Amino acid sequence: MRVTIAEVARRARVSKTTVSRVLNNKSDVDAATAVRVREVIAATGYIPSAGAVGLAKGRTRLVGVLVPGLSPAGVGEVLQGVADVVEESDHGLLLSTAARGADSLARFTHQVRAHAFDGLLLLDPPPAVTDNDALRDSDLPVVVVDGARSVFPSVTGDDAAGAAAVARHFLARGRRRVAVVTGPGEDAAARLAGFRSVLEEAGSSLTGDAVTETVSTAGGGRSAVRQLVASGLAFDAVFACDDVVAAGVLTGLREAGRTVPEDVVVAGFGDLPLAVFTQPPLTTVRRPLRALGETAARRLLGKLTGDTPLDGMTVLPTELVVRESAP
């Protein structure tokens, strides 16, 4: 059952007008009352509508952030970048996840229709979010982080260039019998395309057996190595499309009796904290995770506070980090 402004007022022992004035950050509400009202809002999950906020343009002074979940690698670093920028402004953050599937989407749709925020940041959103009719029909400013094919303005890392740098690194060290362990999604596809393009320019290629798709877990990387070994494919290098998978690849190679980097060199993607703790430490591509969040937040706030045009894609550079797994 949806919480109303009347229910918030009843629990906080104030009038609906007072609740509205708190939502509008009016200075004529005493501090203790404002704190009590905000505590009730937080406890009940009340979502203020544009009418409840009471501003002509429906300003809530909130930036909405929708993430796939809090456990996926890198999400926290992107969120920190968002928070660093938003907290310097006079806006707050309203964080939601898409972790509960249809239930999450229904709540998100309700928030959009209720104008629960002035603008929205979407982190690696599923199609069900970007194709959402309520969002498309709203006039909400939206910026997508890692949405290469999104219809909304976006900020992303140059994943294809990062993967291309890995391919050049392998070739420069004489490793031409290359296998790739990839995963689902547009990011992995961009990395595979960038890696493949360099090999083709060098007169090499990736056969069907050399590309293995798996889930983005360490177990998936381990299983992919078992599959590569069972196929009889001769390989002296493995590029895994993310660091978690690469960690599993290292485990699978040890179990198969292959030494790294002597027999096989390995590279990942992301430069997650685990990359320096694998055995051996992982060569990888550093994605500017915090900068992605900062840039997306600045673009959105620029629209909210200064009517800065909001369109197109911002692409941030990636960086090859060489460690012992592919020296």
Side-chain angles (χ1 to χ4, degrees):
M1 181 176 176
R2 181 182 175 185
V3 178
T4 65
I5 191 171
E7 176 65 11
V8 172
R10 184 186 69 79
R11 294 193 185 198
R13 303 185 304 281
V14 297
S15 68
K16 291 190 291 184
T17 300
T18 298
V19 175
S20 181
R21 298 188 76 78
V22 170
L23 291 169
N24 276 302
N25 295 314
K26 296 294 185 180
S27 60
D28 57 353
V29 180
D30 73 85
T33 300
V35 168
R36 188 167 72 251
V37 170
R38 293 192 182 281
E39 287 177 345
V40 171
I41 290 171
T44 59
Y46 171 66
I47 301 172
S49 68
V53 173
L55 295 176
K57 294 185 178 179
R59 298 295 187 187
T60 66
R61 314 305 297 181
L62 289 175
V63 170
V65 184
L66 181 70
V67 300
L70 297 179
S71 57
V75 168
E77 191 73 6
V78 176
L79 284 177
Q80 187 61 62
V82 171
D84 288 345
V85 172
V86 172
E87 288 174 359
E88 291 178 354
S89 72
D90 56 353
H91 289 74
L93 284 173
L94 180 61
L95 177 65
S96 302
T97 78
R100 296 177 61 199
D103 288 343
S104 296
L105 181 60
R107 179 174 176 81
F108 169 73
T109 300
H110 172 67
Q111 289 175 328
V112 169
R113 288 176 173 156
H115 297 279
F117 25 69
D118 294 340
L120 180 62
L121 296 171
L122 303 174
L123 175 55
D124 194 18
V129 170
T130 51
D131 293 341
N132 184 279
D133 289 338
L135 182 59
R136 286 175 176 268
D137 294 342
S138 75
D139 58 357
L140 277 172
V142 177
V143 177
V144 176
V145 180
D146 285 340
R149 298 180 187 176
S150 172
V151 298
F152 298 104
S154 61
V155 178
T156 189
D158 197 344
D159 286 3
V166 174
R168 285 190 289 270
H169 183 72
F170 283 174
L171 292 172
R173 281 144 186 78
R175 305 291 179 135
R176 304 184 70 89
R177 294 175 296 165
V178 179
V180 175
V181 181
T182 188
E186 294 181 12
D187 291 343
R191 294 166 196 174
L192 176 59
F195 189 87
R196 188 191 298 273
S197 67
V198 170
L199 293 184
E200 291 176 347
E201 289 173 3
S204 187
S205 62
L206 287 171
T207 65
D209 290 342
V211 179
T212 303
E213 183 171 333
T214 188
V215 293
S216 295
T217 65
R222 184 181 180 190
S223 298
V225 170
R226 290 176 178 171
Q227 184 176 334
L228 287 168
V229 171
S231 73
L233 180 74
F235 59 94
D236 59 10
V238 177
F239 171 49
C241 285
D242 71 62
D243 286 347
V244 176
V245 172
V249 167
L250 291 172
T251 299
L253 290 171
R254 282 196 298 272
E255 293 173 344
R258 310 286 179 92
T259 59
V260 178
E262 292 80 8
D263 297 334
V264 183
V265 296
V266 177
F269 206 105
D271 197 27
L272 299 176
L274 67 85
V276 298
F277 298 110
T278 58
Q279 293 297 322
L282 187 64
T283 290
T284 185
V285 175
R286 179 173 295 151
R287 301 191 78 236
L289 296 176
R290 187 169 297 201
L292 289 172
E294 292 171 347
T295 303
R298 287 195 183 100
R299 288 192 64 185
L300 184 62
L301 288 171
K303 175 66 175 177
L304 295 180
T305 62
D307 204 29
T308 303
L310 192 60
D311 53 26
M313 178 188 294
T314 300
V315 181
L316 303 184
T318 51
E319 175 189 358
L320 179 65
V321 180
V322 178
R323 298 193 181 99
E324 288 87 336
S325 71

